[in-house]
Amino acid sequence: MTEPTFKITLAQLNPTVGDVTGNAAKARAARAKAAADGADLLLLPELFICGYPPEDLVLKPAFQAACRAAVEELARETAGGGPAVLIGTPWVEDGKLYNACALLDQGRIAALRFKANLPNYGVFDEKRLFARGPAAGPVTVKGIRVGVPICEDIWLEESEEYENVVECLAETGAEILVVPNGSPYARDKNDLRLSIAVARVTESGLPLVYLNQIGGQDELVFDGASFALNADFSVAAQLPAFEEHTTTLSWTKGTDGWRCSGPVMPLIEGDKADYAACVLGLRDYVRKNGFPGVLLGVSGGIDSALCAAIAVDALGADQVRGVMLPFRFTAQVSLEDAAKLATALGIRYEVLPIADAVNGFEKILAGPFAGLPRDITEENLQARTRGTLLMAISNKTGAMVVTTGNKSEMSVGYATIYGDMNGGFNPIKDIYKTEVFRLSSLRNEWKPDGALGPSGEVIPVNIITRPPTAELRENQTDQDSLPAYEMLDGILERLVEREEPLATIIAAGFPADVVTRIDRLLNIAEYKRRQAAPGVKVTEKNFGRDRRYPITNRFRDNGKALPAPDDRLVARAGKASADAFEG
């Protein structure tokens, strides 16, 4: 007797938020491939028809109607047979908006499933957008009972608010779980996803298909890396990261349930994955927003060099323009290194000296500045002159300015607002300076699949080994005003990502005066970060969507050990209740 088979096509695709027509076209193309493969079911990512995350756009009635109309048209197209389709879509029912997955089959919307567990942490705020759906049973596809938990429905552990969707599906007869996701990239996240999936397989005893989208959406990058697990926890399939990929998995049913042996592709991790995320994030931001290309100030320093390499890998050398903007503090070696970088990358490159502009500003300001000593104001004039010139070229050509400040500098405000912070997007905004050095060396030895830049050494070694400097005054280096980057980044990682008290950081061996100073700089630079360009998120807590601090904020950690709570002052422990106010 022949074992039953069930073929599922995984469409790891790159949707564009708001491009309902374009996303529907991608779904049609994926269904055509699924049909050619003889698939029974096509699986598309979470909220695919509208793009993820749609943010408040999803609250717009016209947008909701456009999404529904597109899904209805796709449903009609299934009338002639072929694979059924599971597609993510916003859905309004009984006056409530849901994050839904629609099963399209035999010319109709055969079933709907609503996301029950809505994430409300980090970059997610779905509770303010969507209503919670109920935990529902499986849908039936070609006689097979398929469970459809949506993203967070497998992520949350048991809690007071958690609806155990997977347990419900197992108890109501699901034979296999398919999970559409919109899971953004963060370093080492693949291990976390796998552990979550293993936990759900453990509690349900069912095989699981995990489908993630790829692509950049503003600060977020989705890396794909979709996979499938058999019920015995073996990897049934592994799709690549950072690229669109559509594949059909053939499942067979034996005495122990459904099982698959599909392609298992290697994943890049660590610094390589961070670099690939920066490339994809910049590429999609530029292309999806319709810019004809980018330009950036090329200083001869490592930050602009890395950004130039990322830009060329993302867009191709013909869409990248480098501009050197020297002043009297610009060293000859910086001019030489910038020219070598441009030649190695093959980009258009020009030198525009800024002395006339800076001297002109100083002449205009001679009266207001009379009797006052020269200070950082004159240094900032140089940065703001450069920013103005880059924005002028951007206005004239339509090319977007890439801003080049790293996370270390953005943390402590080591950047000039309306100067070198000018720009539309920053690919290294969430990359600490120590990783900037590592990524620059890495790029000289390797480039990600699909990168459009040349192979080999593209960043001159002298740029990597030379002490970093802003070159805004004579003989300046970054360490004139900042600790060594190894120390700075170690402190910042504890302050930003871990939210550690100063006392804990000091106890870890960092000098108390340095920790206190860096904490102060971090706090007072919040107003700058609020006005900074968006940039790719690669860490667990980026500036912007993850870390939302007030600008006006007088609290400062004094560096002392935290006081222990005095429970003796609490009249009643436990949950608040009406009788807690009784005497």
Side-chain angles (χ1 to χ4, degrees), residues 518-566:
I518 297 307
D519 180 61
R520 176 182 176 276
L521 293 174
L522 176 67
N523 280 289
I524 65 175
E526 187 62 38
Y527 82 100
K528 287 187 179 182
R529 290 190 291 271
R530 287 286 187 96
Q531 300 179 67
V536 176
K537 167 184 163 64
V538 300
T539 67
E540 284 297 328
K541 186 172 286 188
N542 75 331
F543 291 123
R545 297 183 71 102
D546 282 323
R547 189 179 188 273
R548 308 177 193 181
Y549 266 58
I551 297 173
T552 305
N553 168 24
R554 287 193 176 182
F555 177 77
R556 295 293 183 269
D557 185 340
N558 61 19
K560 298 178 181 178
L562 303 186
D566 189 348

Side-chain angles (χ1 to χ4, degrees), residues 362 365 369 373-384:
E362 292 197 8
L365 292 166
F369 287 3
R374 294 181 69 87
D375 57 16
I376 195 173
T377 305
E378 285 75 15
E379 295 181 19
N380 288 340
L381 269 179
Q382 299 167 51
R384 292 188 172 118

Side-chain angles (χ1 to χ4, degrees), residues 126 221 372 501:
E126 289 192 26
V221 171
L372 299 175

